[in-house]
Amino acid sequence: MKIYTIIVTYNAMQRNWIDRCMESLSKSTIQTIPVLIDNGSTDGTREHIPQHYPDAVWLPQDKNLGFGQANNVGIKYALEHNADYILLLNQDAALSPDAIEKMLSASDGESLLSPLHLNGDGSALDYMFRGSIRDVSKLQDDLLVKHQLEPTYETGEICAACWFMPVALIRRIGGFNPLFFHYNEDNNYYHRMTYHQVKTILVPHASMFHDRSVVGNIQAFNHKQLRRELLLAACNINISIGGQCYQFIKLLAHCYKYDLPVRHYVPGRFLMETIWLLCHWPQIRSSRQQEKNKGLNWIQ
C-alpha cells in the first residue's frame, strides 16, 4: 500500500509545527512518503526542511499558491508516483501513532476518512471540529449512553486539516478549485463530494492534534471573508440559481444583523463583493460545470 502524506508549509517554524508534524509521521505504525510543498516561507522553513528531512519529497514554490492549489501540486505528484492513498495533513497538525492504521482499516476505498480532531495538547476537541459532529446524534448516543463508540460514523463536512483520501475518490472528484485561494476550499470540495455522492467517514478511534486557536490565522481568515462566502454559495453545484439568490439574501441579512467583523460584514462591502462576483461570473459558471464532471479536475 503506497501512501503519500501531503503537507503545505508556510512559515512552519513557529511553535515547532513542522518538526512536531514530521515527528508524528515518523512514529506512525504505517509509514508514508511525505511530500512537502512550500508557499514561499520567509522564516527559515525553506532551509530547515531539506536539511532535516532529506528523505521527504521537497517541492518549494516560487510564489504563494494558497492552500488548495499547493495541495494540488502534491496530489499530482502522488498520482504520478502510483499512490493508493493520499493523506492531506496541515503543518500545524500531528497524528497519533495508529491514526493512519485505523483509517486504512476502516476505508471502503471510496469515501473520505477523518480522525478525531483534538486541540494542540489533546485536552479537548478542536473548536471548529465540534461543529462537524454536532448533528451526528448516534455518536453522542453511543458515547453518553452506551459508553462505547462504533468504528466509524458517517458525518458532514470536516476541516481538511487531516483528510485520508483513497485515490479512487480523487480520480472521481479531482483536486481543489483554484477559485479559492485560502479558506473555504474544503467547504467547496465537500459540496462536490455531496453532488457526486461521496461519503465522509469519521474514525473516532483515530486522532490528530491541531495546534491552532479557533480558525488558525485569524487575520487570514477575516481577509475577504465575505467574498469567500459569496463565492462558496455561487460555486455550490447542489443548489439552483434561485437557491444561490436565497443564500446571498441570507448573507446580506447577516451583514445587517451582526455587522461582524466590522470591516468585512457591512452592507457597503456586500455590494462591492457582489459586483466582484458578477465580474467573475464567467469563471464561476465554467467552474460549476467542471465541478459537475467526474475526473481529475484541476490536477494538471
Side-chain angles (χ1 to χ4, degrees):
M1 193 65 65
K2 204 170 185 181
I3 304 173
Y4 285 81
T5 298
I6 298 172
I7 305 167
V8 176
T9 60
Y10 180 75
N11 292 342
M13 300 302 293
Q14 56 182 308
R15 297 165 65 101
N16 294 319
W17 277 343
I18 195 59
D19 287 332
R20 187 183 185 210
C21 180
M22 294 296 288
E23 182 181 2
S24 76
L25 290 176
S26 71
K27 293 180 177 179
S28 174
T29 56
I30 291 184
Q31 290 295 294
T32 68
I33 303 168
V35 180
L36 293 96
I37 303 94
D38 187 74
N39 267 338
S41 296
T42 58
D43 67 341
T45 298
R46 294 169 78 90
E47 295 74 32
H48 180 83
I49 290 176
Q51 179 180 352
H52 288 82
Y53 307 103
D55 294 333
V57 178
W58 176 233
L59 303 175
Q61 303 300 303
D62 295 331
K63 63 178 181 178
N64 190 341
L65 299 179
F67 180 81
Q69 292 188 68
N71 268 300
N72 286 351
V73 171
I75 292 171
K76 178 185 176 185
Y77 180 93
L79 291 176
E80 290 174 344
H81 291 79
N82 304 312
D84 297 297
Y85 282 83
I86 293 174
L87 173 68
L88 303 187
L89 188 63
N90 268 25
Q91 65 177 10
D92 58 357
L95 294 167
S96 60
D98 58 356
I100 298 175
E101 180 181 353
K102 288 181 176 178
M103 288 190 288
L104 184 61
S105 297
S107 177
D108 60 8
E110 298 178 352
S111 302
L112 183 147
L113 296 104
S114 169
L116 204 64
H117 291 213
L118 305 177
N119 63 7
D121 61 13
S123 61
L125 290 176
D126 174 72
Y127 180 84
M128 299 298 287
F129 180 75
R130 293 176 186 273
S132 300
I133 61 172
R134 65 175 179 268
D135 295 327
V136 188
S137 57
K138 189 178 188 307
L139 186 152
Q140 299 171 36
D141 292 341
D142 289 349
L143 181 62
L144 297 175
V145 180
K146 298 179 181 178
H147 306 292
Q148 183 175 351
L149 293 174
E150 297 289 336
T152 62
Y153 293 87
E154 186 173 347
T155 184
E157 62 181 291
I158 293 178
C159 166
C162 186
W163 278 3
F164 192 60
M165 310 173 75
V167 163
L169 184 161
I170 296 170
R171 294 195 181 280
R172 185 174 183 179
I173 304 293
F176 289 100
N177 188 331
L179 287 177
F180 296 86
F181 179 75
H182 190 48
Y183 290 117
N184 290 110
E185 56 279 288
D186 49 356
N187 306 101
N188 171 260
Y189 201 89
Y190 176 75
H191 290 166
R192 290 155 58 196
M193 287 175 51
T194 301
Y195 181 85
H196 292 285
Q197 299 180 324
V198 176
K199 296 178 182 178
T200 301
I201 303 297
L202 171 66
V203 184
H205 296 292
S207 57
M208 76 88 162
F209 309 91
H210 199 175
D211 186 21
R212 64 170 180 175
S213 58
V214 189
V215 293
N217 186 334
I218 194 66
Q219 290 181 337
F221 182 81
N222 284 341
H223 184 59
K224 298 182 180 178
Q225 182 179 357
L226 179 56
R227 178 178 298 183
R228 294 197 314 272
E229 294 292 340
L230 288 168
L231 181 61
L232 185 64
C235 289
N236 189 347
I237 54 178
N238 298 288
I239 58 178
S240 64
I241 297 296
Q244 290 174 340
C245 292
Y246 174 70
Q247 291 295 323
F248 296 160
I249 292 170
K250 283 181 63 177
L251 282 169
L252 180 59
H254 183 87
C255 293
Y256 279 106
K257 184 175 181 180
Y258 297 105
D259 199 26
L260 293 171
V262 174
R263 58 186 187 280
H264 297 286
Y265 275 123
V266 294
R269 181 80 182 207
F270 185 93
L271 178 60
M272 291 172 57
E273 298 299 0
T274 302
I275 293 172
W276 177 91
L277 198 73
L278 293 173
C279 291
H280 290 80
W281 192 253
Q283 297 97 305
I284 294 169
R285 184 177 180 182
S286 174
S287 165
R288 283 175 58 86
Q289 184 56 52
Q290 189 168 352
E291 289 188 346
K292 291 179 180 179
N293 298 330
K294 293 182 180 179
L296 293 175
N297 296 308
W298 296 297
I299 302 296
Q300 304 300 323

